Amino acid sequence: LITMHPQLEELIDVCLNHDISHIILAGGLPGAPAIKRAKDGGAKVVCFAPTLALAKRLTRQGADALVIEGAEAGGHIGPVATSILAQEILPHIEDVPVFIAGGIGRGDAVLAYLEMGASGCQLGTLFVCATESIAHENFKKAFIRASARDAVPSVQLDPQFPVIPVRALQNDATREFQQTQRGVIDAFDRGEVDQTEAQLKIENYWAGALRRAVVDGDVETGSLMAGQSVGMVKEEKPVAEIISGLIREAVDALTAREQASG
Amino acid sequence: LITMHPQLEELIDVCLNHDISHIILAGGLPGAPAIKRAKDGGAKVVCFAPTLALAKRLTRQGADALVIEGAEAGGHIGPVATSILAQEILPHIEDVPVFIAGGIGRGDAVLAYLEMGASGCQLGTLFVCATESIAHENFKKAFIRASARDAVPSVQLDPQFPVIPVRALQNDATREFQQTQRGVIDAFDRGEVDQTEAQLKIENYWAGALRRAVVDGDVETGSLMAGQSVGMVKEEKPVAEIISGLIREAVDALTAREQASG
């Protein structure tokens, strides 16, 4: 569930009415009441923790597991890299399982995070081009063509008009977003729009853009949300093959290590 | 040596005349002639590789070792995170040692990169507050106070005026840089300055700023270049203690692993 959704409580109740066993609260920091409501209803709650202090608070508030998602991830991101969050948080959270997300494209990287104390890893970008994925052919092609440096966060031009950064492949839409922001800020400076209206114009720019790209295949004006691991996506293949590839890379790393130690 | 320095050849010769054994070519991609000159003079050459394709090319051109520095690093950075570069490059470069840099603050992270195939790690931020470091007291205090999310890259406002991103702690100078850029771009749009002059005004903004902060202790108008591992810098202590801490964290990780496997 998206934590900042205005009807979060009702959405939690819908899940509980359907006996959903695990509720993931993402997209904003959940308050204690939301966590309590889900747990009182019998569900396990998984929360995203952007800092160590908040990881500790969420655990105290009853979170049953945490996800640490670094800035390498696709879509809405925080400012801090996965490697940093892993080092800052994993050594200090022992009561609940912690999952690592953002920038993971190989099995030896999964292994490395597990050995640093993670209970698991969450991968998104690597599965966009799965044969089973319903993403439009154009969307998949854009992923297969792209390299890591094509997946860049959106840029906020003015601290007066906050933009939550979204990592996506650069296209006409991301370039035009810069111009739109600048135009709106200039209009605000000239007194033609007020702050609320200006902020709304900036926020509305991306409305429907993900659907336009993923479902309709409009890869130029849609939003191609992608993590930096997109460069490791090289072809369309079944989920089973993607997963067995990850396992093989992890096992190869373990085997190489055993051979090295004699 | 800074590769983009106009007198790179002369600088290489100075090193060779002093029988320097290893020359590190950073800050821009070195051309084949620079690598050859250093090697012909008897030095080993270490190069920074921003992508796998360039890593392979540099190896073919004679680089004796590579450094992979991700976007978590302080100072001038590329767009791609350390974790991604490690996954993309380490499995495919076997002929020369590869060192990993950017965002490393703990020994178990060093261990993880070594086990993914790195020959070593390069840490900068963690040593800024070493007792032996000559950085000004104010500079060290800023590091000790800062958390990872305070170390942010500078932002380019207009694709016409490229800004090589520099990761630094936010202060008056980073905030003013945004305004300076915007002012220069507006002046260019009004035809008051030409493109070259505008670009120069933007580039000159940071001239001398690192020295102002590190040496003079001016932490408001100087540049507080810092990697995201700055949040793991919590006190001033001797280099020996920093290194023994890293080793302890790596050994603890190995011990925990052995205990877990019975």
Side-chain angles (χ1 to χ4, degrees), chain A residues 59-80:
Chain A
T59 313
R60 278 197 307 274
Q61 287 173 343
D64 297 293
L66 299 175
V67 180
I68 292 175
E69 187 179 70
E72 294 93 320
H76 292 84
I77 52 174
V80 181

Side-chain angles (χ1 to χ4, degrees), chain B residues 58-69:
Chain B
L58 289 165
T59 313
R60 278 197 307 274
Q61 287 174 343
D64 297 293
L66 299 175
V67 180
I68 293 175
E69 187 178 72

